Amino acid sequence: MSGNRKLTELTIEELKIKQKRFRSFVSILSVVTLLALITFVYFAIKSNNYNFLVLLGGCSITLLLCITILKQVETEIKSRNSD
């Protein structure tokens, strides 16, 4: 149930754990997305079929959502540290 709590209800330690988890997840997802981009572009050029590039949309949207959540967590940590 702790995953459903708002960021304002979490302690600073919980926020830092969440920040660390999302930062590593975003890093891994960025590398995977970059490798998928290179692979799909290679196969699209080789097979002259550019439908492979549509598959990158799912990874890109997931990456953007994770980055957004990470920025929200970092903003909450900064606002608590400034108090």
Side-chain angles (χ1 to χ4, degrees):
M1 290 289 220
S2 66
N4 294 335
R5 294 185 350 196
K6 294 181 182 178
L7 293 178
T8 56
E9 296 173 355
L10 297 175
T11 64
I12 193 73
E13 291 84 18
E14 291 172 330
L15 284 172
K16 287 186 179 184
I17 290 170
K18 194 171 203 150
Q19 177 189 26
K20 186 176 180 182
R21 186 179 314 138
F22 272 104
R23 188 174 286 159
S24 62
F25 185 70
V26 165
S27 299
I28 292 169
L29 192 59
S30 298
V31 170
V32 169
T33 303
L34 180 63
L35 291 175
L37 172 71
I38 293 168
T39 304
F40 286 151
V41 168
Y42 170 75
F43 284 122
I45 292 171
K46 185 176 177 182
S47 67
N48 204 17
N49 184 1
Y50 297 98
N51 293 332
F52 285 119
L53 299 179
V54 175
L55 297 174
L56 289 176
C59 291
S60 300
I61 291 172
T62 305
L63 181 62
L64 289 175
L65 290 174
C66 290
I67 290 172
T68 303
I69 294 171
L70 178 63
K71 291 298 179 187
Q72 289 174 350
V73 170
E74 289 177 347
T75 302
E76 182 66 27
I77 290 173
K78 284 181 185 178
S79 69
R80 290 190 187 185
N81 286 338
S82 66
D83 290 341

